Amino acid sequence: MTGERSVLNEYASLTDWLQEIAMKISEEVFFRPIKPGKWSPAEIIAHIRAWDDYLLQERIPYLSSGASLTGLASTVEEVNKSAAAHAHSGFSKDEIINETVKERQKVVEHLKPLDRKQWTDTFYIDKFPLCLTSYIKGLIEHDEHHKLQIEVFMSENGLLLTLN
């Protein structure tokens, strides 16, 4: 179970990054696009929260050996638009970050009690075989992509990036 715990711990570590790094962004910079035509840190972080909610509602309850799940083609645009709108619906930087932390913690709490078999059982998304371990590793890569975007943006805006 060590490998699965390691993956889960890495997935959970986003909350530390949000609290230690993302909280350093000023309110004004938080809502500024990272590049023309791109999302702001607020939208990116709201996007992560939205997909954690999707995972909690639409994936985890249906993951079992041999399960066949539909892909995301029709869902991606809808979830992303909703997340971007949420980021600009009057919430503060702290509220957006804190709700993302809470959503990630909820997902982690749902994954903690799963045994090795549940982490390694094969399921399918559009006939593509996966296991929970590889699925969560893919989400970690997604997190890393967005964290890097935000960190580069912070650096470009003169914000020091050091962990406490």
Side-chain angles (χ1 to χ4, degrees):
M1 202 55 196
T2 305
E4 292 80 16
R5 289 293 157 231
S6 173
V7 169
L8 186 58
N9 288 339
E10 188 173 354
Y11 183 69
S13 73
L14 175 75
T15 61
D16 295 333
W17 181 87
L18 287 165
Q19 293 167 327
E20 295 173 6
I21 300 296
M23 280 292 195
K24 291 181 178 181
I25 306 172
S26 71
E27 194 84 16
E28 183 260 325
V29 171
F30 189 71
F31 290 96
R32 184 186 311 154
I34 61 171
K35 290 189 176 174
K38 297 287 187 182
W39 281 349
S40 65
E43 291 166 306
I44 293 169
I45 292 171
H47 159 85
I48 291 170
R49 185 211 46 83
W51 283 106
D52 278 358
D53 181 62
Y54 183 85
L55 177 63
L56 207 52
Q57 304 302 320
E58 303 296 333
R59 288 295 192 229
I60 293 174
Y62 306 103
L63 295 180
S64 61
S65 184
S68 183
L69 307 172
T70 58
L72 301 172
S74 63
T75 309
V76 172
E77 188 70 24
E78 177 185 318
V79 172
N80 288 345
K81 275 185 179 180
S82 176
H86 180 77
H88 293 288
S89 63
F91 292 100
S92 70
K93 173 192 79 170
D94 288 0
E95 289 170 322
I96 291 170
I97 291 173
N98 288 332
E99 69 184 13
T100 303
V101 166
K102 286 178 186 161
E103 197 67 26
R104 179 58 57 99
Q105 289 170 336
K106 278 197 255 180
V107 173
V108 169
E109 288 307 310
H110 274 80
L111 296 175
K112 269 185 186 176
L114 301 182
D115 62 30
R116 176 180 273 284
K117 183 177 180 332
Q118 291 168 298
W119 279 90
T120 58
D121 277 347
T122 300
F123 62 90
Y124 300 85
I125 296 180
D126 285 343
K127 299 183 182 180
F128 182 76
L130 291 162
C131 67
L132 184 57
T133 301
S134 62
Y135 189 80
I136 297 299
K137 283 181 179 180
L139 296 176
I140 292 166
E141 289 176 13
H142 176 255
D143 288 348
E144 292 300 320
H145 165 74
H146 287 308
K147 285 165 50 177
L148 181 59
Q149 285 180 311
I150 292 171
E151 289 172 1
V152 166
F153 177 69
M154 289 174 70
S155 179
E156 291 170 350
N157 282 275
L159 298 169
L160 183 62
L161 294 178
T162 57
L163 290 175
N164 296 336

